[in-house]
Amino acid sequence: MMTFTPINRIHQHLSAFHVYAQDHTRHVEAHHFCSRRSKDFHQCVIYDFDAPDARLIGIEYIVSEQIFKSLPEEEKRYWHSHQYEVESGVLRLETKCVIPSVMNDTAEKPAMLELHQTYGKTIHTWAFDEFPDLPLGPPQLMMSYTRDNQANDEVIRRRDERSGVSTSAKRKLREGYLPPYQKDSKADQLGVIFKPEEVRIQK
């Protein structure tokens, strides 16, 4: 009797790790369930895990390089690149555990080629690493890894062991098909936070 039209448009499950824009010592696993608004624009709901009792922790908008470059300069500071996430193997397509890894790699290739040169704007509304029971506090702008030695090796190792998929093997495989690319320097700005401010209500 109920309809789930927007939810039914979800066609892609991606997993990665997000870091707080103002605190790169805090890393959280993020599972993105994405739908396509156009060939240049995706929208995703984000959970902390792929399980029935997963927490709904935020949203991410993903745009092509063309759209990103068209944004106002002030707006670009809220966006992060996906270049390193894709090249490093940290960002990956999640498939059912019964799918052999070689088939996962085949299904993943066109998705990674598309995401390699995209940019994301991510807001987490639940800082579950600090408040595991309730979504307390202000929303948080999140960023992605942009170079080696930023990632938390332990959280990546745990994901690899749980899924049976090697992040380092993904990295090596993608070196063979990803084209050279240099992300836009206006993305991945640090230290951006949202502060509550009391204002007069417009009536």
Side-chain angles (χ1 to χ4, degrees), residues 63-81:
V63 300
S64 65
E65 181 180 45
Q66 180 180 3
I67 289 181
F68 178 78
K69 287 185 177 298
S70 73
L71 297 176
E73 293 302 305
E74 176 66 17
E75 172 65 23
K76 291 177 180 177
R77 63 202 299 255
Y78 301 120
W79 295 74
H80 61 266
S81 64

Side-chain angles (χ1 to χ4, degrees), residues 81-98:
S81 64
H82 293 132
Q83 178 189 2
Y84 178 82
E85 282 189 298
V86 172
E87 292 176 352
S88 66
V90 167
L91 178 64
R92 72 184 192 206
L93 187 71
E94 294 288 343
T95 55
K96 295 180 179 179
C97 60
V98 296

Side-chain angles (χ1 to χ4, degrees), residues 6-159:
I7 303 302
N8 291 336
R9 288 178 58 84
I10 290 175
H11 71 286
Q12 194 173 64
H13 174 193
L14 303 165
S15 75
F17 298 90
H18 291 159
V19 294
Y20 289 78
Q22 81 283 8
D23 185 354
H24 281 203
T25 68
R26 295 171 65 186
H27 313 249
V28 296
E29 188 168 345
H31 287 258
H32 309 61
F33 296 86
C34 306
S35 60
R36 184 190 298 270
R37 289 191 59 81
S38 72
K39 68 180 182 66
D40 293 312
F41 183 18
H42 295 219
Q43 57 187 12
C44 311
V45 290
I46 304 174
Y47 291 82
D48 68 325
F49 200 60
D50 181 23
D53 60 346
R55 302 175 182 91
L56 175 60
I57 61 172
I59 57 172
E60 178 164 357
Y61 302 107
I62 299 174
V63 300
S64 65
E65 181 180 45
Q66 180 180 3
I67 289 181
F68 178 78
K69 287 185 177 298
S70 73
L71 297 176
E73 293 302 305
E74 176 66 17
E75 172 65 23
K76 291 177 180 177
R77 63 202 299 255
Y78 301 120
W79 295 74
H80 61 266
S81 64
H82 293 132
Q83 178 189 2
Y84 178 82
E85 282 189 298
V86 172
E87 292 176 352
S88 66
V90 167
L91 178 64
R92 72 184 192 206
L93 187 71
E94 294 288 343
T95 55
K96 295 180 179 179
C97 60
V98 296
I99 303 295
S101 60
V102 66
M103 293 180 65
N104 174 278
D105 292 336
T106 300
E108 191 177 66
K109 181 177 178 179
M112 294 303 113
L113 284 167
E114 179 180 29
L115 290 166
H116 186 216
Q117 300 180 24
T118 61
Y119 296 81
K121 182 179 186 179
T122 303
I123 309 295
H124 281 198
T125 53
W126 191 341
F128 67 94
D129 58 327
E130 184 176 3
F131 305 108
D133 297 321
L134 288 170
L136 305 180
Q140 302 282 342
L141 183 70
M142 307 299 286
M143 293 292 176
S144 62
Y145 301 138
T146 58
R147 62 180 184 274
D148 289 338
N149 302 319
Q150 284 184 327
N152 184 310
D153 293 337
E154 178 60 22
V155 297
I156 292 177
R157 183 191 64 78
R158 289 200 300 264
R159 184 185 68 167

